[in-house]
Amino acid sequence: MAVPQVDKKMLGELEAMGFPTTRSIRALHFSGNSNLESAVNWLLEHESDPDIDRLPLIPQEIPIECGDTSNEVRNDIQGMRDPVQEQKPEERTETGRHNETSQLERELNADEQEEEDRKRILALYKQKRDEEGRARGQKRNQLQDDQRERIRASKDLMEAKRTLEENQRKRMMESRIADQEEVKRARERIRQRIADDRAERRRRLGLPQENPAAASVAIITPTKVKPVERIVTSEQLRDCLRTLKKNHKDDSARVTRAYQTLLKIIANIVKNPAEEKFRRIRLSNPIFMDRVGNLQGGVEFLELCGFQRLSASGYLVMPRDRADMALLNAAGVEIASAMENPYFGLLSK
């Protein structure tokens, strides 16, 4: 086996274009050594072949000696030579000049055609490289846009969590202050009750009052105590969503639809907090029952977000003063996180 012989000039031009020598020899061999355009087209079509960098091998030609030429062949050759020898010297000279001129014209035309083919091949090669560069640029820009979007979403999530934690701290402080006020009022009531009992015993025993001013019943002005709101944490919201998914893990489509419905309810309230129709849900609504109501954890999640169940009217209602935007935003973040994570609720015990 031997490496096939190829056109050295075309091989040099392919190497000048940047193609490796092995690939250039392979392309010229399989394209028939015809022209540069065929070789470049073959390279572009087979650049992903596993053996593209392997030299082609062909059986080596072995010369076979033949015997003497037969008389018939010898006579035919002599017959072809006789008419040529019979031509006059002037005719042979004219014919030779004409043949030389035709050969020169063919060579010039072949050179021009080869130059045009080379330019066209270079243009095609440059066009393909430009297209690949544009494709790489588009992919790089897409990756950069995706990274910026992920960074923006991460910042929004961190901001929502920070707002939720800040609101939780405020509610805890308000609850602690209210508890302290209630303890203080309870102590005052106990002291007043002790003083009243002491005065009653002295009266029954006929003893004089110790201090008439102190015996007078102090009037305690009732003050309106702000009710202690229930503190809802992100972990409680996630637990509710995990319960919903674990109880219906065999029907992922239904869980996804429930998450989408909950997210739509929360988003409507955040966008239109003053609209009562978004803060009022009829429990007997067949669509709501099919998507959320019949799934364990769906109604509980809405109650954590601020909805109240009115048994008399059969509605879930969120009062305007209980629409906590920070809590609703945190709930929306938790739902979106549960929808994006395919393993949400499946790995926890």
Side-chain angles (χ1 to χ4, degrees):
M1 305 296 286
V3 178
Q5 296 296 325
V6 296
D7 190 290
K8 301 297 183 182
K9 184 177 180 181
M10 288 192 290
L11 177 62
E13 291 183 357
L14 287 175
E15 291 177 345
M17 293 180 189
F19 293 107
T21 303
T22 304
R23 295 190 179 189
S24 301
I25 294 174
R26 194 175 184 86
L28 288 171
H29 170 67
F30 285 108
S31 62
N33 260 331
S34 56
N35 51 56
L36 279 177
E37 184 176 1
S38 299
V40 172
N41 289 334
W42 190 94
L43 280 170
L44 297 178
E45 292 175 359
H46 298 81
E47 61 180 355
S48 60
D49 290 355
D51 57 348
I52 187 66
D53 293 314
R54 188 183 306 164
L55 282 173
L57 298 176
I58 59 175
Q60 188 174 4
E61 295 182 0
I62 301 175
I64 301 174
E65 296 183 357
C66 300
D68 295 337
T69 307
S70 62
N71 293 331
E72 293 180 0
V73 174
R74 192 178 294 112
N75 294 334
D76 291 341
I77 294 174
Q78 185 64 32
M80 293 172 64
R81 288 176 180 174
D82 291 341
V84 176
Q85 292 176 356
E86 292 175 358
Q87 290 181 353
K88 295 179 179 180
E90 294 80 1
E91 293 179 356
R92 287 199 298 271
T93 304
E94 183 65 25
T95 303
R97 284 198 300 269
H98 180 71
N99 292 336
E100 290 177 358
T101 304
S102 301
Q103 180 66 23
L104 182 60
E105 290 178 354
R106 284 195 297 272
E107 291 178 356
L108 291 175
N109 293 333
D111 291 341
E112 292 177 357
Q113 183 65 31
E114 186 176 354
E115 183 65 23
E116 291 179 359
D117 292 343
R118 185 173 180 274
K119 290 180 180 179
R120 185 167 63 255
I121 292 169
L122 289 174
L124 291 173
Y125 183 72
K126 184 178 179 181
Q127 180 181 359
K128 183 179 180 182
R129 289 291 179 264
D130 293 341
E131 291 176 355
E132 292 177 352
R134 285 194 296 270
R136 286 193 296 270
Q138 292 176 357
K139 186 176 181 180
R140 185 166 53 251
N141 294 335
Q142 182 65 32
L143 291 175
Q144 292 175 354
D145 293 341
D146 294 342
Q147 184 177 5
R148 285 194 292 268
E149 182 63 23
R150 286 195 297 270
I151 293 173
R152 186 192 64 77
S154 178
K155 288 182 178 179
D156 293 343
L157 179 60
M158 293 178 63
E159 181 65 22
K161 288 184 177 179
R162 187 191 64 78
T163 305
L164 177 62
E165 292 174 356
E166 183 67 24
N167 291 333
Q168 288 176 353
R169 284 194 294 270
K170 289 181 180 180
R171 286 196 293 270
M172 290 178 65
M173 290 297 297
E174 293 175 357
S175 176
R176 188 175 301 171
I177 293 172
D179 291 341
Q180 292 175 355
E181 292 292 334
E182 182 63 27
V183 170
K184 184 178 180 180
R185 285 191 294 271
R187 289 177 179 175
E188 186 65 29
R189 287 195 294 269
I190 292 172
R191 283 196 294 268
Q192 184 64 37
R193 187 175 299 171
I194 292 173
D196 292 343
D197 291 342
R198 183 182 297 130
E200 181 65 21
R201 286 195 300 269
R202 294 181 68 84
R203 185 184 64 78
R204 289 178 180 178
L205 294 174
L207 298 176
Q209 298 291 336
E210 293 180 353
N211 188 356
S216 61
V217 178
I219 301 175
I220 301 176
T221 304
T223 58
K224 186 176 181 181
V225 181
K226 183 179 179 180
V228 180
E229 297 181 358
R230 181 183 178 185
I231 299 175
V232 180
T233 63
S234 298
E235 187 61 30
Q236 290 175 316
L237 296 172
R238 282 194 293 271
D239 287 341
C240 196
L241 294 175
R242 288 194 196 101
T243 302
L244 191 150
K245 187 166 185 177
K246 288 172 66 176
N247 290 332
H248 307 85
K249 59 183 178 181
D250 295 331
D251 193 353
S252 59
R254 191 176 185 188
V255 173
T256 302
R257 188 173 57 184
Y259 284 167
Q260 292 173 348
T261 304
L262 291 173
L263 185 61
K264 184 66 175 178
I265 293 172
I266 299 300
N268 286 336
I269 298 175
V270 171
K271 293 178 182 178
N272 306 281
E275 290 289 339
E276 184 180 0
K277 64 180 181 179
F278 295 130
R279 294 183 285 105
R280 186 180 180 88
I281 302 172
R282 183 162 55 89
L283 291 173
S284 59
N285 188 319
I287 297 178
F288 174 78
M289 292 301 295
D290 177 63
R291 296 185 178 182
V292 177
N294 290 332
L295 277 69
Q296 183 180 355
V299 176
E300 289 79 1
F301 183 84
L302 293 176
E303 289 177 342
L304 288 176
C305 294
F307 278 91
Q308 296 178 352
R309 189 196 300 262
L310 302 180
S311 302
S313 60
Y315 278 87
L316 279 175
V317 178
M318 177 184 291
R320 180 65 180 88
D321 56 351
R322 292 196 61 181
D324 189 341
M325 292 297 108
L327 178 59
L328 293 175
N329 284 327
V333 170
E334 295 299 335
I335 297 173
S337 177
M339 293 173 64
E340 293 174 359
N341 184 3
Y343 304 104
F344 178 80
L346 299 179
L347 302 180
S348 60
K349 294 182 180 180

